[in-house]
Amino acid sequence: MENKKTFGEKCAAFVRKDGVRSVIASLISILGGIAVGFIVLLLLAAFDSDVTFSQALKGILIVIKGPFSSGSADNMLFQIGNMLFEAAPLVMTGLSVAIAFKTGLFNIGAPGQYLMGAMGALVVALSLPTDTIPSWIVWILALLAGTLLGAVWGAIPGFFKAHFNVNEVIVCIMTNWIAANVVSWVFLDTDFINTPETKINFIKKTSSNGVATAKLGLDKIFEGSYMDISLIIASLVAIALYIMMNKTTFGYELKACGFNRNASKYAGMNEKRNILISMSIAGALAACGAALWVLNGSQDFKWNTYMSLPAEGFNGIPAALLASNNPIGVIFSSLFLKFLNKGGANLSAQTPFNEYVSQLIVAVIIYFSGFSKLFRDMLAKKLKGNEKRDGDSLKAKGGKKE
Amino acid sequence: MIFLLQKTLIFTIPLLIVALAGMYAERSGIINIALDGIMIFGSFFGALCAHILRQDPFFVDHNQLTFLIAMVLAAVSGAIFSLLLSFSAINLKADQTIGGTALNLLAPAITLFLIKLFFSKDALEMETAIGGDGKPVDFGFAILNEDMNPVGQVFFDKAYLSTFIAIGLFILLSVLIYKTKTGLRLRACGEHPQAAASVGINVNKMRYLGTTVSGALAGFGGYVYIATVANGTASGTVAGIGFLALAIMIFGNWKPLGIALGALLFGFLKCLSVIYTQINIEIGGEKIYFLNDLKLPMYFYNMIPYIAVLIVLAFTSKKSRAPKAEGIPYDKGAR
């Protein structure tokens, strides 16, 4: 073997890493999504006389500049602060979906787990007396209560899957709607509901009981925004999960279960227990995201929720998919999704378009990310052409089933 | 009682037809998790079509014709939308769950974007339109036949054209998938595509057929849902009916009869949760509203259908068997 590698070879070696190829595939998807979004706006400009081409160009630029397209500097900091705050629950639901995916399960039950988490956190945060118990202890208890409730809720699909072999998708959908009704029922006619006429649809803010997530001065930097340390907490959780999945026996067992349930059973792993625990963790994560959101102290939680499920739960799916289910990647994909979201929100003020453009772009990005294996294989093939020597090792990697 | 059955039928039909849509896709080997999105897409174009047609007094007077045209358009747009899924899943061998999820995100984004852009509001409502005689006509496609016997009333009073079409389609398509050559080939592609290919069946073509039928049915179901259940409002959501239909399909074990049973059971329980306050029995000339007298909140009744499905599944799932090759991209070389 030669010691000195040319620059091209170094690049090839770099690109050959699985993680790098995933990132490249995601970037291609993102570019594709933005391109399609732009084409849609251009088509509108071509066929609708009210819309000009320059408006289409302006529109797509506003979306991809995210919170930076907000006009004034103050407004920009405000939007960035909110973006960072709102990313935290999304990171958690994204992790929830990603962990379940790694175990071969599709956790479409995140909305229900999210609702249960919000309920648990709100009930504890609003009912424990903060004049006798320090508010930070109440905060921790509330977070734990919400998380625990989510774990229990997530365990239901896990239990049905493991012991009755019922498809987890169907149980997740059922538990979502059951959760939506349970939450409404629990809050019906209670003191938790806000009293003023206009706010009757919402639960009291936790700050009314003096319970709120620590801000550490972050709300001073991003003035007027909801910014607190929840994103830091979510990122730490993501790192912990990354270590768990990649460096521990338990994580290995979960992944093995995801690759082939029967093989993992044959290898002596308790696959039923693994499915149950994996879904519990997924439920706990989604619920913890909700708890972080309500414990911010300034958020309005709509209690009479039996007709609809929280979008935040479903949005965990694109966050996980865009990150190829990598826990660390989920942090960045969530931030990116919220970034686009903020850009979209700025659209209607400055162009004839509306905020749904950013949703459209996200949808197309996810559509393209489905082809990521194709992109990766294409990349691998190209490298194989360049370097015939390493062809075999590449094939082994490229052909790996997911 | 008649009222209860009428309502049950209205709730059941969208579930029935969309669950059948799911079955067609999955039996051909493609997991169609995008049912909800396709419903939203179809319902929007159906509503848009009805909205445009109702500008003309002729179509306001000929209500059922408008309804029919809108239904067909909804089905066509659903089929076209589903091609996105087919293309990614069949031609590019992409992950079907991801493709489906993308469509679920895409449909509300597109519809809400267009509704807000062209109508400057968040939902497209079917409002009152002016008929040929200059009088305003309310939105609604129900056919009224109040002077019928009780059995007839269940089916023909306050009934919708779509109900009969849906039941007809359901029977036709159930026969098609079990009793015809094409149906057998389609099912073969969902069980063992390589074996199917070895006897000369074009797997990709069959899978395209499965998902396109699925898309058309889902689009149709979406429009039926908003026209009969959701007061003719296209608002970028169908209240998760697509996912429920997916659940009904699994519940029905990927078989038409099971799906019909599941949809009826679910539709009945769902309907019960809406009208439980009006249910009564007459004892000695006195009407007793026994469910209302229990003083349980409506949330309790709302939960019953979901809990019932879970309980039934726990007992019956041992027999449950999904099509073997569903979700796996067809690879010619695989054995």
Side-chain angles (χ1 to χ4, degrees), chain B residues 4-328:
Chain B
L4 181 67
L5 290 177
Q6 281 172 343
K7 275 277 175 205
T8 300
L9 207 57
I10 290 174
F11 273 112
T12 304
I13 290 301
L15 279 175
L16 180 78
I17 209 74
V18 182
L20 185 75
M23 189 195 89
Y24 252 81
E26 301 220 350
R27 272 308 181 83
S28 77
I30 305 288
I31 292 181
N32 190 354
I33 204 161
L35 288 173
D36 209 66
I38 300 173
M39 280 179 80
I40 292 170
F41 197 79
S43 68
F44 168 68
F45 279 96
L48 187 68
C49 170
H51 179 86
I52 292 169
L53 287 180
R54 278 162 63 85
Q55 309 289 333
D56 186 339
F58 172 79
F59 285 105
V60 179
D61 291 341
H62 297 80
N63 217 348
Q64 298 304 326
L65 182 67
T66 315
F67 191 32
L68 197 66
I69 297 173
M71 269 191 287
V72 171
L73 197 91
V76 170
S77 57
I80 292 172
F81 191 56
S82 75
L83 288 179
L84 277 176
L85 176 69
S86 319
F87 178 70
S88 84
I90 299 167
N91 296 73
L92 298 179
K93 305 191 194 315
D95 188 307
Q96 296 163 10
T97 315
I98 300 181
T101 305
L103 260 65
N104 280 336
L105 293 168
L106 194 59
I110 290 183
T111 54
L112 288 171
F113 174 64
L114 292 177
I115 290 173
K116 202 158 186 190
L117 193 69
F118 293 123
F119 299 96
S120 305
K121 49 187 178 183
D122 284 325
L124 177 59
E125 287 146 355
M126 302 280 100
E127 56 276 280
T128 311
I130 307 296
D133 49 1
K135 282 182 188 155
V137 180
D138 277 339
F139 168 79
F141 297 121
I143 303 164
L144 300 176
N145 279 315
E146 273 163 15
D147 47 351
M148 286 194 92
N149 60 342
V151 179
Q153 272 189 16
V154 171
F155 285 100
F156 299 108
D157 180 33
K158 297 192 191 78
Y160 291 93
L161 192 62
S162 56
T163 305
F164 309 115
I165 297 177
I167 293 174
L169 271 177
F170 187 83
I171 295 168
L172 184 79
L173 289 172
S174 306
V175 171
L176 193 97
I177 202 165
Y178 275 104
K179 302 288 176 197
T180 65
K181 207 160 62 180
T182 318
L184 180 67
R185 288 178 173 175
L186 190 120
R187 283 183 290 137
C189 292
E191 295 294 334
H192 200 312
Q194 287 82 14
S198 74
V199 291
I201 298 170
N202 186 338
V203 176
N204 286 356
K205 205 172 116 189
M206 278 298 145
R207 289 192 164 181
Y208 257 104
L209 180 73
T211 44
T212 309
V213 170
S214 175
L217 287 176
F220 168 68
Y223 184 63
V224 170
Y225 172 77
I226 68 151
T228 60
V229 184
N231 300 323
T233 307
S235 54
T237 171
V238 286
I241 293 287
F243 289 115
L244 280 180
L246 205 65
I248 299 284
M249 177 201 70
I250 299 170
F251 181 88
N253 211 358
W254 289 267
K255 291 193 179 90
L257 212 61
I259 287 172
L261 269 176
L264 264 174
L265 171 77
F266 198 89
F268 177 73
L269 291 174
K270 185 97 185 150
C271 169
L272 210 62
S273 71
V274 176
I275 60 164
Y276 72 94
T277 50
Q278 300 163 34
I279 294 170
N280 59 66
I281 38 171
E282 270 190 39
I283 300 175
E286 200 182 347
K287 279 186 177 174
I288 298 175
Y289 294 85
F290 59 98
L291 286 178
N292 196 31
D293 288 346
L294 287 176
K295 295 279 179 260
L296 282 165
M298 65 168 170
Y299 307 120
F300 173 74
Y301 298 97
N302 279 340
M303 280 192 277
I304 289 178
Y306 307 103
I307 295 174
V309 166
L310 284 186
I311 292 172
V312 175
L313 276 174
F315 286 109
T316 59
S317 60
K318 287 279 182 275
K319 282 182 287 176
S320 167
R321 207 185 70 78
K324 252 202 186 111
E326 71 164 13
I328 307 163

Side-chain angles (χ1 to χ4, degrees), chain A residues 40-41 44 48 51 101 106 108 156 160 163-167 169-171 173-175 177-182 184-186 188 303-307 314-315 317-318 321 348 352-357 359-360 362-364 366-374 401, chain B residues 33 83-85 87-89 92-95 97-99 101-103 105-110 112-118 122 239-240 243-244 246-248 250-251 254 266 296-300 302-303 305-307 309-311 313-315 317-318 320 326 331:
Chain A
V40 169
L41 296 191
L44 271 175
D48 190 339
V51 184
F101 260 134
F106 186 29
I108 202 168
I156 298 173
F160 271 80
H163 292 279
F164 299 120
N165 195 27
V166 183
N167 192 315
V169 173
I170 178 171
V171 186
I173 292 165
M174 297 297 141
T175 50
W177 290 104
I178 295 173
N181 282 292
V182 166
S184 305
W185 192 354
V186 165
L188 181 72
W303 66 274
N304 200 358
T305 174
Y306 72 101
M307 286 290 279
F314 286 115
N315 288 344
I317 300 171
L321 291 179
S348 47
F353 309 114
N354 51 60
E355 68 270 26
Y356 298 110
V357 175
Q359 282 187 28
L360 194 143
V362 169
V364 177
I366 298 305
Y367 185 71
F368 284 144
S369 77
F371 310 150
S372 64
K373 193 173 173 303
L374 193 83
K401 281 252 166 80
Chain B
I33 204 161
L83 288 179
L84 277 176
L85 176 69
F87 178 70
S88 84
L92 298 179
K93 305 191 194 315
D95 188 307
T97 315
I98 300 181
T101 305
L103 260 65
L105 293 168
L106 194 59
I110 290 183
L112 288 171
F113 174 64
L114 292 177
I115 290 173
K116 202 158 186 190
L117 193 69
F118 293 123
D122 284 325
F243 289 115
L244 280 180
L246 205 65
I248 299 284
I250 299 170
F251 181 88
W254 289 267
F266 198 89
L296 282 165
M298 65 168 170
Y299 307 120
F300 173 74
N302 279 340
M303 280 192 277
Y306 307 103
I307 295 174
V309 166
L310 284 186
I311 292 172
L313 276 174
F315 286 109
S317 60
K318 287 279 182 275
S320 167
E326 71 164 13
D331 177 5

Side-chain angles (χ1 to χ4, degrees), chain A residues 368-384:
Chain A
F368 284 144
S369 77
F371 310 150
S372 64
K373 193 173 173 303
L374 193 83
F375 292 146
R376 269 182 277 167
D377 289 354
M378 263 159 51
L379 218 57
K381 219 180 232 172
K382 195 150 191 304
L383 288 173
K384 200 169 145 193

